[in-house]
Amino acid sequence: MDDPTEDLTEQLERARVAWFYFMGGLTQQEIAARMNMTRLRVNKIIGQVREDGAVRIDVTLPLTDCIALAEAVTARYGLAEAVVVPDVPDYLEQKRVIGEAAGAMAGALVEGRDLGIGVATGRTLSFAVRRLHAKPHPDSWVVGLTGGVTRSSGTNTFEVATSFARSLGVECHYLTAPLYCASPESRETLLLIDELTDVLARTEIADLGITSCGSLAEDATLTQIRVVKDHLDDVLKRGAVGEFLGCFLDAQGRPVDHFLNESIIALSPDKLKLKPMSMLVSGGIEKVQIIRAILRGGYVNRLVTNEAVARALMAGPR
């Protein structure tokens, strides 16, 4: 049986071109500029869509609902770009298709450019490398945006950053410290280490930040960290709806008033907001609250998620 998510990136690209041209009224040159591709490729895709009968009065490609949702979310939250992938029943497969779509978006942003690329952690981001087909300038580099956790094989910030750097053929820098310190004072002590503060400064100057987010479910990786587990009830009582770069946010996207938010070794959400390019890569209906909070806070200018989340973002209050 064929995998329904096979060649998802190519299907999304084809559907986006068709939607922009036949439904959005954009010219081929405008589409080429918007999607970082040549006008010749745009012309070829439009020709293929016409030949195989995918266009009648409207576009009948199966992903056009996702394209329309992406455009609506982009407009509602003031984003530069959004990609919405179809819902997939399997939990891990959903993460895979979101991650791979994010890899394609990231590849278009870094191709041929000299830039710093900051990468956070998570299962979804670990899949992005599969579609990260790009060659940045050799002087580019990757940096992990957060400190590490003591378990979560394959999805730790060190492993995800390493896989990005290897795929792109550039050097990698690590925040070799725990994500959470025991107290704000112990964080300040760690930051007396020059090498660590140098890497933290590098997270701030990276041109592109690629991030995920987490719910506060009891079985989530983050909530298994001892210091978080010990204070989770208090964090929830203060209005936290999830975490972003280790920072606990309320429904409006504001960091909650708790010492854990002062004990993080990571790029802060406010500094991510200053980057010219920033991507939130996350899906699953259980994350709608934190995804909406991040968008409300204006911390990112790009989003990759799944259809159910996009619909929820459009249905609920902005």
Side-chain angles (χ1 to χ4, degrees):
M1 180 182 293
D2 291 339
D3 181 354
T5 63
E6 186 178 354
D7 296 325
L8 177 65
T9 301
E10 288 78 10
Q11 291 182 52
L12 281 171
E13 180 181 76
R14 187 166 174 259
R16 291 187 79 198
V17 168
W19 195 91
F20 285 139
Y21 188 75
F22 295 104
M23 303 293 287
L26 273 64
T27 67
Q28 293 183 22
Q29 188 59 48
E30 288 171 335
I31 296 169
R34 184 165 187 155
M35 295 186 63
N36 286 323
M37 61 173 63
T38 65
R39 184 174 176 178
L40 182 63
R41 178 157 178 75
V42 172
N43 183 269
K44 181 179 178 181
I45 291 172
I46 291 170
Q48 290 172 341
V49 167
R50 280 188 170 128
E51 288 176 7
D52 65 19
V55 177
R56 298 190 184 102
I57 294 174
D58 59 355
V59 182
T60 61
L61 289 168
L63 296 172
T64 51
D65 282 351
C66 292
I67 307 306
L69 267 175
E71 290 296 299
V73 170
T74 296
R76 185 172 197 184
Y77 291 95
L79 302 173
E81 184 180 7
V83 169
V84 176
V85 303
D87 291 333
V88 179
D90 183 81
Y91 177 76
L92 193 59
E93 282 295 284
Q94 186 71 83
K95 289 181 177 291
R96 180 177 72 80
V97 295
I98 293 171
E100 291 185 1
M105 178 189 283
L109 293 174
V110 306
E111 178 64 40
R113 301 183 64 183
D114 180 0
L115 75 174
I117 304 155
V119 183
T121 184
R123 174 71 67 185
T124 307
L125 286 184
S126 71
F127 287 117
V129 177
R130 298 187 182 190
R131 294 284 182 174
L132 191 62
H133 306 315
K135 291 185 178 179
H137 188 280
D139 290 338
S140 297
W141 42 268
V142 169
V143 62
L145 292 179
T146 70
V149 297
T150 56
R151 61 180 177 176
S152 187
S153 178
T155 65
N156 208 317
T157 183
F158 308 128
E159 295 159 308
V160 176
T162 297
S163 65
F164 267 73
R166 284 176 178 167
S167 177
L168 297 171
V170 298
E171 68 178 9
C172 194
H173 304 264
Y174 307 97
L175 278 174
T176 50
L179 175 57
Y180 293 101
C181 299
S183 66
E185 292 75 24
S186 59
R187 178 185 186 273
E188 293 305 312
T189 299
L190 270 179
L191 292 181
L192 294 175
I193 303 171
D194 289 342
E195 289 83 357
L196 187 58
T197 54
D198 288 347
V199 177
L200 196 56
R202 192 177 284 268
T203 69
E204 297 178 15
I205 65 171
D207 308 276
L208 167 62
I210 306 173
T211 65
S212 188
C213 63
S215 71
L216 298 181
E218 290 186 2
D219 59 350
T221 299
L222 196 76
T223 58
Q224 299 307 303
I225 299 173
R226 182 179 300 173
V227 68
V228 175
K229 195 171 185 176
D230 290 346
H231 297 278
L232 184 59
D233 287 345
D234 193 26
V235 168
L236 291 169
K237 287 176 183 176
R238 292 171 188 249
V241 297
E243 65 81 21
F244 179 56
L245 292 169
C247 184
F248 298 98
L249 303 179
D250 68 15
Q252 299 304 314
R254 298 170 301 213
V256 301
D257 183 15
H258 194 277
F259 86 89
L260 282 177
N261 276 348
E262 306 299 323
S263 307
I264 307 167
I265 301 289
L267 179 73
S268 72
D270 280 338
K271 289 181 178 175
L272 178 71
K273 187 188 296 189
L274 301 177
K275 295 190 181 302
M277 299 178 290
S278 51
M279 294 169 52
L280 174 61
V281 183
S282 191
I285 204 68
E286 73 282 359
K287 294 186 180 179
V288 169
Q289 280 189 296
I290 182 61
I291 292 172
R292 183 184 284 117
I294 293 164
L295 297 181
R296 282 174 172 167
Y299 296 119
V300 298
N301 51 44
R302 288 168 173 83
L303 172 68
V304 184
T305 193
N306 62 294
E307 191 173 0
V309 170
R311 291 190 186 283
L313 290 173
M314 294 305 299
R318 184 185 179 281

